[in-house]
Amino acid sequence: MRRPDQQTTTRPAPEATLGTGNGTGTGPAGPDAAPGAGPAAQPGDPGTGPDTPPAGARSAGPGEPSGPPAATGTPAALPGTAGTGTAGTGTAETGTAGTGTAGTGTAGAGFTGVTGEPTAEGALAPYLRGQAAEFLRSLRLHHEYSAPADAGGHGAAEAARALRRAARRIGGSLHTFRAALDPHWADQLRGELAWLTGILAREHAYANRLARLVDALHLLSGPTLPAARGARAAGEAAGADAQGRAALGVGAARAAALLERRLTLARTRSHSAALQALGSSRFHAIADAVALLASEVPAPSGHAGRAAAASLLEPAELAEQRLLTAVAALPPDDTGPYNEAQDAAWHQARLLLRLHRYAHEVVLGGADPGLTAPGHALDLHRDAVEAAGAAAAAARTPRIAPATAYALGVLHADQRHGVESARAAFRETWPYATALAAP
């Protein structure tokens, strides 16, 4: 709808306004928009990092139109207004840009809530300073709760979780918006934060894995299941179930004891490694760097760095396109539960979803509620995969009783079915159904 002063005239489209046509719902890209600079290798891991997109996953990035242009004669979006039009229309009216469909056949929500042009100074720097302040606050609480009187309590675990959460958000933002910052500083701090979060996460992961496996063993060896309908079917099912429960009950207790010994030992070693890391000079250097970040964010140098800092939409949209490409490449859901070779693709999708969530928080000031359930499903998938691996590793222990090995085999199968359930839950909750079309 035109304003009153536009009833008889139509504004020409500014040269700085480009239609993306890639389904991300972006609006104008100013003359200082950053070139498509992909992030470097993920911190903490040599070669390919956990957040590094798979090879060949480059899709149509921002500023690379893949859809049809807007109809001739339609007023273009005004400068500085983000596109929030309806997908597939290809038209725009007074600041509302139409969106198209990505070249990969997937369409995301895009950053349609952006008002104005998000910049490093206006959006990224306040976000990083806030996360740095949260990091320092969690570190202080962790030191308080780690006193001898409160050692190992719930407060210390919550403080460590908040510390990891802030560190992940800082590292993810440095990864996505590397071009808008000092690249050398961003790479160095990102790598150190990845090392810290990995050290702190292991103890929590081993504790959760042990609780998950012991609870699953208790459920598998518990009371008999309800009998099937019909006298003959009920008798056969009851007999088979009784035999299976008896065989499983013999080894379930020993399997639980074996898992407890293995995972408790691993948790104790992780706890010692975390304490040693928190007292090291390397960690104190990280804390000093984050303390400086809470007050000042290093700005990029050179014309390219200043141009990248002028707009954050391009790297944020690139992170979204990488996520959509990874989700579209996930294997179909009819491959069965014992497909460990496909776990890596799902782990990669989980890490790319996390990067997209952090970019959404930077650009729009909050998380995307539509991605909460898919993210939770991918977390459950990761937990089930790691639990199944722990059961399989325990089953390879030399000289264990056959009943113990049988119980661990049943437990492994149960966790692999949990992997399939998590994948199904992700497909049901993923908000962009076109990205999950089976090949």
Side-chain angles (χ1 to χ4, degrees), residues 17-174:
T17 303
L18 301 177
T20 59
N22 58 1
T24 57
T26 60
D32 293 334
Q42 179 63 17
D45 292 321
T48 59
D51 287 341
T52 304
R58 176 70 169 91
S59 59
E64 300 176 5
S66 58
T72 306
T74 303
L78 293 178
T81 305
T84 55
T86 304
T89 61
T91 60
E93 289 201 74
T94 314
T96 305
T99 59
T101 304
T104 58
T106 63
F111 295 89
T112 56
V114 179
T115 57
E117 191 74 20
T119 63
E121 182 179 358
L124 180 58
Y127 181 82
L128 289 176
R129 286 195 294 264
Q131 295 301 324
E134 180 63 25
F135 180 95
L136 297 175
R137 186 182 306 111
S138 303
L139 179 59
R140 177 178 56 82
L141 292 176
H142 186 271
H143 286 166
E144 293 178 359
Y145 288 122
S146 298
D150 299 328
H154 181 71
E158 288 297 327
R161 190 176 295 110
L163 186 66
R164 297 199 313 271
R165 183 165 54 245
R168 285 197 307 266
R169 278 166 168 74
I170 296 174
S173 301
L174 297 180

Side-chain angles (χ1 to χ4, degrees), residues 308-409:
S311 175
L312 301 179
L313 282 178
E314 185 172 357
E317 291 165 358
L318 182 59
E320 182 186 39
Q321 287 300 319
R322 284 173 170 167
L323 168 64
L324 296 176
T325 302
V327 172
L330 290 175
D333 55 358
D334 56 354
T335 54
Y338 303 103
N339 46 12
E340 289 86 349
Q342 298 176 359
D343 294 342
W346 289 87
H347 293 331
Q348 182 72 6
R350 173 180 171 271
L351 294 174
L352 292 175
L353 175 58
R354 175 179 290 177
L355 287 178
H356 171 60
R357 284 172 44 214
Y358 299 161
H360 198 281
E361 293 177 1
V362 172
V363 175
L364 294 180
D368 185 358
L371 297 178
T372 302
H376 180 64
L378 291 179
D379 289 341
L380 293 178
H381 176 271
R382 187 263 326 259
D383 294 342
V385 167
E386 293 178 347
R396 292 191 292 268
T397 303
R399 298 183 299 276
I400 60 174
T404 306
Y406 172 75
L408 291 171

Side-chain angles (χ1 to χ4, degrees), residues 154 157-158 161 164 200-216 259 263-264 266-267 270 350 376 379-380 382-384 386-388 390 411 415:
H154 181 71
E158 288 297 327
R161 190 176 295 110
R164 297 199 313 271
L200 296 180
R202 290 172 190 167
E203 179 183 0
H204 177 72
Y206 283 127
N208 286 350
R209 199 171 306 156
L210 176 60
R212 178 189 180 99
L213 290 173
V214 172
D215 290 344
L259 288 170
L263 294 178
T264 301
R267 180 187 178 185
S270 299
R350 173 180 171 271
H376 180 64
D379 289 341
L380 293 178
R382 187 263 326 259
D383 294 342
E386 293 178 347
L411 180 61
Q415 296 303 308

